[in-house]
């Protein structure tokens, strides 16, 4: 099913997950039992990340997205980055997606990898959106940044670039993680002013260990509200308490987002079935 259709067909808050493929040196089957458990929670769809370096043809992303859809019965979205790919690399990936029955793509620019010269055939995600749109019958999603993309000059430039990406074919948007809902609400106001009218999902990352939060925040620049930092400080050396507090914080964010009528919640599960299960159970009656 196309994800844009899912948003049209439902008046409930869409609830989706993100998972990632195993590292190249681990067998692909190593994540299957976790994925099966995560799929048994029946989210509306699951998106599968794509390695920053770019892959030609059969990627683990395609394989995992196919497994989720065809064996575990949950609609999937394959992420695809373009900055380190040529058009023929992208064509090979698109052919592969068709073979695997994948209809939905999260079209991304991707990050520059140090020591890897970008291929320059695609400069922005919007270039990839228009390319995919011409190439086949795919449903395209795009990424967005409530706290403004790290390279953008300011929030006005960023939202205008986002509008350009929607005009190039992105039919729904998934946000970067954030820990302060008021940041997301201000972002939604900017998108409205800019005339962006596609569904926007809020990206929620339940923080369950200290390393994870430090890594994510340094990579994506998410700001940490004082309330959140207090929790991290109090429980940083008590792994189970930190996990439970992280889950409780994410649930509180989600309840507030649903009450404020957001289009969808995209949960960064980090391939953790326990966390996904706890959060799904806590909000099951609220969607
Ligand atoms: P773009 O939309 O191209 O934006 C990048 C920057 O360029 C922004 O600052 C934007 O304002 C600017 N810009 C856009 N268009 C123009 C223009 N025409 N002129 C001037 N400036 C412009 N990375 C991975 O490697 N694999 C993944 O699987 C992955 N999944 C992700 C999922 C989500 C939900 C999110 C939010 C991010 C994900 N990323 C992933 C990270 C992403 O690749 C990086 O954040 C990357 O830096 C930007 O990608 P983008 O698609 O948002 O880029």
């Amino acid at each position: 099913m196309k994800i844009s259709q899912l948003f049209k067909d439902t008046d409930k808050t869409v609830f989706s997950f993100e998972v990632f493929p195993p590292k190249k040196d681990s067998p692909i089957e190593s994540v299957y039992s976790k994925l099966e458990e995560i799929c048994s929670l029946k989210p509306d769809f699951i998106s599968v990340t794509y390695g920053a370096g770019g892959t030609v043809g059969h990627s683990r992303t395609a394989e995992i997205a196919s497994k989720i859809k065809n064996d575990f019965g949950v609609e999937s979205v394959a992420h695809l980055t373009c900055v380190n790919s040529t058009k023929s690399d992208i064509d090979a990936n698109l052919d592969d997606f068709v073979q695997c029955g994948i209809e939905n793509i999260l079209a991304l620019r991707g990050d520059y990898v140090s020591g890897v010269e970008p291929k320059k055939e695609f400069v922005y995600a919007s270039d990839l959106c228009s390319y995919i749109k011409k190439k086949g019958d795919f449903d395209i999603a795009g990424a967005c940044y409530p706290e403004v993309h790290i390279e953008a000059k300011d929030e006005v430039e960023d939202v205008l670039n986002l509008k350009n990406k929607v005009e190039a074919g992105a039919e729904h948007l998934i946000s970067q993680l954030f820990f302060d809902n008021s940041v997301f609400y201000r972002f939604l106001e900017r998108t409205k002013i800019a005339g962006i009218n596609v569904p926007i999902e809020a990206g929620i990352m339940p923080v369950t260990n200290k390393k994870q939060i430090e890594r994510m925040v340094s990579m994506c620049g998410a700001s940490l509200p004082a309330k959140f930092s207090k929790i991290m400080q109090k429980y940083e050396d008590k792994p189970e308490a930190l996990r439970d507090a992280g889950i409780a914080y994410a649930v509180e964010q989600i309840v507030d987002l649903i009450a404020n009528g957001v289009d969808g919640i995209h949960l960064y599960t980090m391939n953790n079935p326990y966390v996904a299960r706890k959060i799904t159970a806590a909000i099951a009656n609220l969607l």
Side-chain angles (χ1 to χ4, degrees), residues 123-197:
V123 181
Y124 300 112
S126 53
D127 301 331
L128 182 61
C129 290
S130 29
Y131 188 76
I132 296 173
K133 213 173 156 61
K134 273 190 272 167
K135 280 280 164 176
D137 183 24
F138 294 104
D139 202 73
I140 307 166
C144 61
Y145 301 84
E147 299 197 59
V148 180
H149 185 263
I150 211 147
E151 294 163 34
K153 193 177 78 196
D154 56 37
E155 55 189 37
V156 173
E157 184 190 272
D158 206 33
V159 83
L160 292 175
N161 290 334
L162 186 61
K163 186 170 189 205
N164 186 34
K165 181 153 65 176
V166 169
E167 284 168 354
E171 298 193 54
H172 114 256
L173 300 170
I174 303 180
S175 94
Q176 182 59 280
L177 61 94
F178 59 89
F179 298 104
D180 178 351
N181 287 0
S182 64
V183 165
F184 187 71
Y185 299 138
R186 284 200 297 277
F187 165 70
L188 289 185
E189 280 169 14
R190 292 198 294 279
T191 61
K192 281 215 177 73
I193 292 167
I196 295 171
N197 296 314

Side-chain angles (χ1 to χ4, degrees), residues 90-102:
I90 295 295
D91 289 347
N93 276 284
L94 297 180
D95 287 346
D96 206 27
F97 291 164
V98 170
Q99 296 294 319
C100 293
I102 296 161

Side-chain angles (χ1 to χ4, degrees), residues 49-50 79 108-111 124-125 145 149 152 158 161 165 268:
T49 64
Y50 187 87
H79 297 204
L108 297 146
R109 186 197 70 179
D111 284 318
Y124 300 112
Y145 301 84
H149 185 263
D158 206 33
N161 290 334
K165 181 153 65 176
Y268 294 102

